[in-house]
Every structure is written in structure tokens, then in C-alpha cells.
């Protein structure tokens, strides 16, 4: 009988867990819709900003070379890697993929500092000997452009002062609810041809603009904004990818709980039937003994 009690308790416990995973899936779905709307609204702006910046970079600026377009002289040869993880778990392999990618980057490159964006990355690398420039947590409660601007301004200042010769971003890019792609992007120095990914048809349609004021002054204003927006876009992409990963993980957990409940219920019914049969046999055997 104790075995039946244990089975009932286990089934009840799994049902309670299943209710939690269902609720977390619904919450993740609601947050995903808002995050997806935000990133879809941001991508066209990012594309146009990239086109304008690319056009300016090749607009005949003469001997002028913006400091963000080249490796700073006298730099220490160090690399800064910005690692974008989530603040919470229960989202499958979302955080572990980024952390594994960051570890591979550290193995392949020497003299690397980390810029940790997200509590999971802070918790993981904080216990290791990798140099950490700065830690940021609670960024994904609400992704704000001001936070990205603070991060971007600090990175730009460190790069222009020669602390780093290159800056990279590693994060999960949102593709769909079921797919998140691990992405490593070079943020600085910016390529002089920012439109390498554009097709030949788009380059053929390029227009030769007249700029007022000069291309140099516009570059001075646009390039820092472009770098900051790279961080902002990475935060939005990571936020949407995290909600998608959590939604998928909680959906799988709910289905696994249903299968486990069915399996345990079957075992419980068989055990209960066997116990009832045993009791009936004992009663009949006792009655026959009394009759004899």
C-alpha cells in the first residue's frame, strides 16, 4: 500500500510541476510577441543605417580616416568580447550555447577581456580567471536604448584610447521560435565597406549623394551611433531569442510531464488492481477455510 501512496504523491507532484511549466510557456509566449515586434521594427532601421554609413564611408572623404574605421595606433593588441546571455535559466541550451561559444573564442584568441551582458554570463565567468572589464545584469527586464548607449559609449572610448585593437559581440540571434543562431560579430574596427553583405543589384542602384555638411562631419555623428545601435540590436535579438527558447523548453517540459503522468498512472492502476486481487484472494481463501 505504501507503494501506491508514493505513486500518488509522485503523480500529484508532476501535475503541479506541469501547471508551472504551462504558465511559464504562456508568459514566455506573451513576452516573445512584444520582443519579436520590437526586433522586427528595429531591423529595417538597422539596415538603412548600415546603408547610409556605408555610402558615407566611400563618399570620397579624402585623407580623412575616422578612428572607428581602423585599429588605433599604439594599441595594446587586446580584444574585447561582449558576451550577451540571459538573466534567468529554464530556457534550454540558450545560455550554454553562448558560454560555450565564448570559451571557444577565448581558446582561439589570446589577450581577451570580457564584457558580460546578462546575469548567467556574470555567474559563470565571474568564478574564472578570465579578465572582466565590466558586468551588466538586469538588462532584459526591459531593454532600453539608454543602457546600450552607456555600454557603447564606454566601448568606443576604450577603443579610441587604444585599450583594445578589436571588439566582438557574441549572442543568440532570433530566427524563429524554434531557432536561435549563435552569432559572433566584429563591432570595432568598423569595416570601411559596411555593405559587404548587399547584393550586386542593390549596389548597382546606389545613388551618388551630395552631402551637407561634409561627409566627414556626418560620419563623426553616425559611426558612434551605428556602434551603439549594434549593441542595442544584439540585446533585442538576444531577448527575443531567450523568450523563444524558454517557450520551446517549457512546451517540451509540459509534454514530457504528460507522458510521465500517463506512464505512472498506468503503473499505479496495475499496482492497485494487483493489490485488490490479492485482497480478494485472501478473503476467498479465508472464507473457504471457515467453511471447511
Amino acid at each position: 500500500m505504501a507503494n501506491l501512496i508514493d505513486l500518488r504523491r509522485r503523480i500529484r507532484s508532476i501535475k503541479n510541476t506541469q501547471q508551472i511549466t504551462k504558465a511559464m510557456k504562456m508568459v514566455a509566449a506573451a513576452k516573445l510577441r512584444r520582443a519579436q515586434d520590437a526586433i522586427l521594427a528595429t531591423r529595417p532601421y538597422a539596415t538603412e543605417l548600415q546603408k547610409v554609413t556605408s555610402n558615407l564611408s566611400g563618399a570620397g572623404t579624402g585623407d580623412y580616416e575616422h578612428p572607428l574605421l581602423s585599429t588605433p595606433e599604439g594599441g595594446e593588441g587586446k580584444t574585447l568580447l561582449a558576451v550577451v546571455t540571459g538573466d534567468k535559466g529554464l530556457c534550454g541550451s540558450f545560455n550554454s550555447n553562448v558560454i560555450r561559444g565564448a570559451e571557444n573564442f577565448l581558446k582561439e584568441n589570446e589577450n581577451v577581456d570580457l564584457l558580460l551582458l546578462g546575469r548567467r554570463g556574470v555567474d559563470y565567468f565571474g568564478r574564472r580567471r578570465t579578465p572582466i572589464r565590466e558586468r551588466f545584469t538586469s538588462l532584459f527586464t526591459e531593454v532600453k536604448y539608454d543602457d546600450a548607449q552607456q555600454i557603447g559609449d564606454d566601448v568606443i572610448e576604450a577603443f579610441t584610447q587604444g585599450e583594445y585593437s578589436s571588439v566582438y559581440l557574441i549572442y543568440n540571434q532570433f530566427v524563429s521560435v524554434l531557432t536561435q543562431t549563435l552569432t559572433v560579430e566584429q563591432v570595432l574596427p568598423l569595416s570601411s565597406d559596411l555593405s559587404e553583405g548587399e547584393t550586386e543589384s542593390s549596389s548597382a542602384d546606389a545613388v551618388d549623394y551630395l552631402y551637407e555638411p561634409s561627409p566627414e562631419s556626418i560620419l563623426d555623428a553616425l559611426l558612434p551611433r551605428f556602434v551603439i545601435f549594434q549593441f542595442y540590436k544584439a540585446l533585442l535579438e538576444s531577448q527575443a531569442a531567450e523568450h523563444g527558447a524558454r517557450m520551446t523548453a517549457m512546451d517540451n517540459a509540459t509534454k514530457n510531464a504528460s507522458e510521465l503522468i500517463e506512464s505512472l498512472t498506468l503503473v499505479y492502476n496495475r499496482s492497485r488492481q494487483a493489490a485488490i486481487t490479492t485482497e480478494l484472494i485472501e478473503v476467498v481463501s479465508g472464507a473457504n477455510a471457515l467453511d471447511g
Side-chain angles (χ1 to χ4, degrees):
M1 198 64 180
N3 187 33
L4 293 177
I5 294 175
D6 291 340
L7 285 172
R8 282 201 300 267
R9 287 176 178 172
R10 190 175 179 189
I11 291 172
R12 190 183 308 117
S13 174
I14 294 173
K15 286 183 177 179
N16 292 336
T17 303
Q18 187 183 42
Q19 291 178 351
I20 295 173
T21 57
K22 281 183 178 179
M24 293 186 66
K25 175 189 172 183
M26 295 175 64
V27 172
K31 291 183 177 180
L32 173 61
R33 176 169 296 183
R34 294 194 296 269
Q36 189 173 1
D37 290 343
I39 190 59
L40 291 179
T42 302
R43 283 175 178 171
Y45 176 81
T47 301
E48 292 303 318
L49 181 61
Q50 180 175 347
K51 288 181 180 178
V52 172
T53 309
S54 173
N55 201 327
L56 278 169
S57 300
T61 53
D63 296 332
Y64 177 77
E65 187 173 357
H66 196 278
L68 298 182
L69 293 173
S70 60
T71 302
E73 295 182 2
E76 301 178 9
K78 296 177 66 176
T79 299
L80 180 65
L81 177 64
V83 183
V84 185
T85 60
D87 287 329
K88 301 177 182 179
L90 297 178
C91 49
S93 60
F94 174 84
N95 292 310
S96 59
N97 285 342
V98 177
I99 291 174
R100 192 181 304 114
E103 286 185 327
N104 291 336
F105 187 94
L106 292 173
K107 292 177 182 177
E108 297 171 358
N109 299 272
E110 298 180 354
N111 207 6
V112 178
D113 288 356
L114 295 180
L115 174 62
L116 303 178
L117 310 178
R119 187 176 300 278
R120 289 295 171 173
V122 171
D123 292 343
Y124 181 84
F125 288 105
R127 299 190 297 267
R128 285 157 177 78
R129 296 182 179 180
T130 307
I132 298 174
R133 176 175 178 82
E134 200 164 355
R135 301 171 171 88
F136 290 89
T137 58
S138 303
L139 290 172
F140 300 101
T141 304
E142 181 182 358
V143 176
K144 300 178 181 178
Y145 184 81
D146 291 342
D147 294 332
Q149 187 171 17
Q150 177 186 352
I151 297 169
D153 288 340
D154 178 67
V155 170
I156 290 172
E157 182 180 0
F159 179 79
T160 53
Q161 290 180 355
E163 294 184 38
Y164 301 102
S165 59
S166 59
V167 179
Y168 288 84
L169 257 172
I170 182 169
Y171 63 96
N172 279 311
Q173 183 179 17
F174 176 77
V175 179
S176 67
V177 176
L178 299 176
T179 307
Q180 300 85 36
T181 303
L182 183 65
T183 303
V184 180
E185 291 181 355
Q186 180 175 333
V187 180
L188 292 171
L190 293 169
S191 171
S192 58
D193 183 9
L194 296 170
S195 58
E196 291 176 353
E198 296 182 10
T199 62
E200 294 181 359
S201 60
S202 61
S203 60
D205 296 334
V207 180
D208 186 13
Y209 294 101
L210 296 177
Y211 293 97
E212 180 65 31
S214 63
E216 293 86 349
S217 58
I218 300 178
L219 271 179
D220 289 338
L222 273 188
L223 287 183
R225 180 175 296 184
F226 181 78
V227 173
I228 293 171
F229 201 80
Q230 290 295 95
F231 283 95
Y232 181 58
K233 181 174 175 288
L235 293 178
L236 289 177
E237 293 274 3
S238 182
Q239 181 187 45
E242 180 183 359
H243 292 321
R246 182 171 291 109
M247 181 179 171
T248 302
M250 292 301 99
D251 183 53
N252 292 334
T254 301
K255 292 178 180 178
N256 292 338
S258 297
E259 294 176 359
L260 190 54
I261 289 172
E262 290 179 4
S263 176
L264 290 175
T265 301
L266 182 61
V267 173
Y268 173 80
N269 290 335
R270 287 177 177 175
S271 299
R272 184 168 176 270
Q273 185 178 10
I276 293 174
T277 302
T278 302
E279 290 178 359
L280 288 175
I281 292 174
E282 291 175 353
V283 171
V284 172
S285 299
N288 291 335
L290 290 174
D291 292 341

